[in-house]
Amino acid sequence: MRVYLGSRVLLSLAVVAGLAGAASAAPPPGSTIGTVQLRATVSESLTVTISGGNSVNFVLAPNTAANNGSNTSTVNTAWSLQRGRRQVSVWAYFSSAAAALVPLTPANPAAIPSSAVKIQVNGAGGFNACTNATPFSAAASGLRVGTTFIRRRNRNGRRTDVLAYQIDTTVVPALPADTYRGVLNLQAQATP
């Protein structure tokens, strides 16, 4: 029994000595520290999308002040702006004041000017002719749809406008029978 007990004590001492030796051993050497600098930038953005009413048709009657469009357009403007921007303005405009809509028949010299195209914004107020200068066109062929003033809380924001249309054929009383086509541009501008 002595031999057995002595072996056990020696075995226990060997285990304790091994654990103590492992605990006091130095950790493996580490390398130098490499670093990576991270930088993230969110660019300013300003977008205009049309979510409904990309195409509007008119049946024009001669010498009639209010020829209504077939439907409205929904204009969505979204932005993410830096500090210092004071407002976002949305504009509707034609590239030509004299010929906002042109005839399909090449021999027809007539055109519908932008002053004959009227827009109502969000169902409020009357219809206004596209006769203003815009930041995007030198021609006096536009209309400001709306303006949002930018504050700290709405530097990331959006607005939605619904546009209704009319064409006033009294502006061109002798408009020949034809099909007339034109493109209304919608664009936003953020200003300091």
Side-chain angles (χ1 to χ4, degrees):
M1 174 97 141
R2 270 193 215 186
V3 174
Y4 176 71
L5 187 56
S7 320
R8 262 191 117 156
V9 170
L10 286 176
L11 181 60
S12 295
L13 287 175
V15 168
V16 170
L19 290 177
S24 64
S31 70
T32 58
I33 297 174
T35 61
V36 175
Q37 299 295 321
L38 303 177
R39 182 178 183 174
T41 302
V42 176
S43 298
E44 279 190 298
S45 66
L46 180 58
T47 60
V48 173
T49 57
I50 312 301
S51 62
N54 292 12
S55 180
V56 179
N57 297 308
F58 297 86
V59 176
L60 301 179
N63 279 328
T64 303
N67 294 282
N68 291 321
S70 60
N71 53 287
T72 60
S73 299
T74 302
V75 181
N76 303 296
T77 307
W79 59 85
S80 177
L81 303 173
Q82 295 176 351
R83 288 182 180 187
R85 301 293 187 189
R86 301 286 181 238
Q87 66 185 27
V88 170
S89 295
V90 181
W91 294 87
Y93 66 95
F94 294 96
S95 58
S96 170
L101 286 88
V102 296
L104 287 183
T105 305
N108 181 356
I112 299 173
S114 66
S115 60
V117 180
K118 297 179 180 179
I119 299 174
Q120 181 187 52
V121 181
N122 297 324
F127 284 80
N128 297 296
C130 295
T131 57
N132 298 314
T134 74
F136 310 107
S137 173
S141 64
L143 179 72
R144 186 189 319 236
V145 171
T147 298
T148 301
F149 294 98
I150 303 301
R151 309 237 183 325
R152 182 178 50 139
R153 294 180 192 251
N154 70 339
R155 274 190 230 126
N156 292 323
R158 62 182 49 248
R159 67 175 288 139
T160 299
D161 297 291
V162 177
L163 308 183
Y165 307 95
Q166 287 182 344
I167 293 181
D168 180 355
T169 55
T170 64
V171 175
V172 188
L175 190 64
D178 206 335
T179 298
Y180 297 83
R181 288 189 182 170
V183 174
L184 178 68
N185 300 296
L186 290 145
Q187 195 169 357
Q189 180 187 44
T191 54

